[in-house]
Amino acid sequence: MKKICFAFNHLQYSDGVARSIIAIANYLSNNEYEVTLKPIFKIEKGCLGLLNRNIKVKSVFGFYFNGLSKIINKLPDTILHYLIFGNDNFDIEVGFQYGISTRAVVSKNNKAKRLIWMHTYDEELVFKNYYVKADKLICVSKCNVERLKNELSKNMVIDYCYNPIDERKVISLGQEEIEIKKNEKITFVSVGRLSEEKGYLRLLDVVYKLRKQGFEFNLWLIGDGPQRKELEEKVKSLNLGESVIFLGNQSNPHKYTSKSDVFICSSFREGYSTACTESIMLNIPVITTDVSGAKEIIEDAECGRLVANSIDGIYFGMKEVLEKPEIIDEWKNILKRTKVHFYSKKRLERLEKILS
C-alpha cells in the first residue's frame, strides 16, 4: 500500500481545491493508498464527514488570519517541509496548491516522489526554481501543459488531470431548497472568492450597462473575500440592489446554482474552473471568459459561450442570453447528454495512471 500526502491551504467546502481533494482522497483510499491530508490552515468540520474514515487529516496550524501566509513564507524551505510533511516517510508527497505547499514539497531530498499540482497558472513563474525540482508537474488543463513545457523545459515531466468532483454529491446537494424566492427574471449565478482575479467589479459594470439598456434580470453572487465590501458599495452606488444579491459564503452553493439559469465566470485568470464544472453537472450552462481551461470546458459541454476576457466579452455573452432567452433551454437539453464528460470516473482513472 502506497502512502500519499496532499498539502493545501484550507479544507472548506466553499474552496474548489478542497472539493477536488475530497474526491481524490476518497478514490485513492479505496484503491490501495494510505491517504493523509495536510490542510495548512482551517478545517471545516463538515468536510470531515465527506471523507472516508480511513483517511488521515492532520492540520498544520489549524487557524488563519490575514497576513499569516506572509509570516509563514518567511520560514526556510526545509522548516516548511518538516512542519507540513514531517518524517512520516510518504511514498508520494503532493504540493496541491500554489504557494506554501509548492515550496515545502520539493525542499528536502528524501525518497518520496514529489509532485506539484498547479490549479492556477503561475503567470510570472514565481516558483520556477521549485517546479524544476519536482518529479512531476500536474496541471488541471491541457492548455497549461503546453504552456509550461514551452516556458520551462520540453524535457520536464508535465501532465494534466482535470479536477475530479463527486457528481453524486453535487447533484444531491443541488436538490436542497433555498430560502430566497426566484422570480420570473433570468437569473445568472457566480460562485467564487470575492477577490480581484474573479473579475466581479467588471461584472457589475456589465450589469449596470445592461440595466441601463432596459434588461431586467438577477445576479446571485455566492462567496466571500477581500473585495466584498467594495463590491457591495459599488452595487449601492450604481443602484443595482434590485438585480444583485450577495449570498455570502455557503457550505452548499449547489442548491442556489441548480435554481439559476446560467452560470457566469467573469475571471481574469483560472486554472480550470471547478465552479463551472459543478454548474454543468447541475445542468446549468456556462458563460465564461477565455481563461485557462475555459475552451476545454465549453468544447466538452458542446454548449454555453466562451467570451473574450474583457468587459465587452462578458457584456455580449450576457446580452445574447437576455435577447434570446430560448437559448437557455437549448443549452440545457444539450447538457443532458454532455454533462457526463465532467463526471469523476474518467478523471479519477487518469489520476491513478499519473500517480503510478
Side-chain angles (χ1 to χ4, degrees), residues 125-136:
L125 292 182
V126 173
F127 290 106
K128 179 179 179 179
N129 292 336
Y130 294 93
Y131 301 146
V132 297
K133 295 178 183 178
D135 293 299
K136 183 178 288 188

Side-chain angles (χ1 to χ4, degrees), residues 20-280:
S20 178
I21 196 59
I22 288 169
I24 289 172
N26 285 336
Y27 176 80
L28 293 178
S29 68
N30 289 329
N31 289 273
E32 299 183 355
Y33 280 86
E34 181 182 307
V35 181
T36 300
L37 302 184
K38 289 289 189 77
I40 298 170
F41 303 118
K42 294 188 293 184
I43 293 180
E44 188 178 85
K45 290 183 179 179
C47 287
L48 298 177
L50 302 176
L51 293 165
N52 292 345
R53 291 184 178 182
N54 58 340
I55 296 171
K56 300 176 183 178
V57 181
K58 301 178 181 179
S59 174
V60 179
F61 294 100
F63 60 90
Y64 182 76
F65 57 82
N66 287 337
L68 180 57
S69 295
K70 291 182 179 179
I71 295 171
I72 295 172
N73 269 316
K74 293 180 180 179
L75 295 173
D77 294 343
T78 52
I79 292 179
L80 279 180
H81 184 277
Y82 176 76
L83 285 173
I84 295 173
F85 294 101
N87 293 318
D88 290 331
N89 296 317
F90 297 109
D91 297 299
I92 305 173
E93 295 176 349
V94 186
F96 199 66
Q97 195 160 19
Y98 179 88
I100 294 171
S101 68
T102 302
R103 290 180 55 204
V105 74
V106 295
S107 64
K108 186 177 179 182
N109 290 320
N110 53 19
K111 294 181 180 179
K113 187 175 183 180
R114 300 169 297 174
L115 277 59
I116 291 177
W117 214 283
M118 295 186 67
H119 290 276
T120 56
Y121 197 82
D122 184 353
E123 296 291 341
E124 305 297 327
L125 292 182
V126 173
F127 290 106
K128 179 179 179 179
N129 292 336
Y130 294 93
Y131 301 146
V132 297
K133 295 178 183 178
D135 293 299
K136 183 178 288 188
L137 288 174
I138 301 172
C139 299
V140 294
S141 63
K142 293 178 184 177
C143 63
N144 282 347
V145 173
E146 296 308 313
R147 189 175 174 187
L148 260 186
K149 285 182 176 179
N150 289 332
E151 295 188 12
L152 291 176
S153 169
K154 292 284 187 181
N155 297 321
M156 287 188 66
V157 182
I158 307 174
D159 210 334
Y160 80 95
C161 181
Y162 293 137
N163 282 335
I165 302 294
D166 186 347
E167 70 280 355
R168 297 166 300 177
K169 185 65 178 177
V170 171
I171 293 169
S172 174
L173 288 171
Q175 293 171 353
E176 291 186 9
E177 296 297 322
I178 59 176
E179 70 282 1
I180 59 175
K181 187 175 181 180
K182 182 180 181 298
N183 54 35
E184 295 181 356
K185 299 175 185 176
I186 289 174
T187 297
F188 298 95
V189 67
S190 190
V191 180
R193 179 172 163 79
L194 303 186
S195 51
E196 180 273 334
E197 73 276 5
K198 296 299 183 180
Y200 288 134
L201 285 172
R202 65 177 178 177
L203 178 58
L204 293 182
D205 287 333
V206 171
V207 172
Y208 177 70
K209 184 176 181 179
L210 289 168
R211 280 290 306 272
K212 281 191 68 177
Q213 293 174 346
F215 293 105
E216 296 288 334
F217 58 94
N218 306 309
L219 171 64
W220 294 347
L221 292 179
I222 302 172
D224 208 343
Q227 267 195 342
R228 178 162 182 169
K229 185 177 181 181
E230 184 180 2
L231 290 166
E232 289 176 334
E233 289 176 351
K234 184 161 187 170
V235 166
K236 186 177 181 179
S237 68
L238 296 178
N239 196 26
L240 297 177
E242 290 186 7
S243 296
V244 182
I245 298 177
F246 291 90
L247 294 169
N249 197 21
Q250 296 287 334
S251 59
N252 177 14
H254 310 311
K255 64 181 180 180
Y256 299 98
T257 299
S258 66
K259 312 301 187 297
S260 70
D261 297 298
V262 178
F263 185 94
I264 292 285
C265 174
S266 58
S267 295
F268 287 99
R269 52 189 178 276
E270 290 280 349
Y272 184 97
S273 174
T274 298
C276 285
T277 298
E278 292 165 332
S279 175
I280 289 169

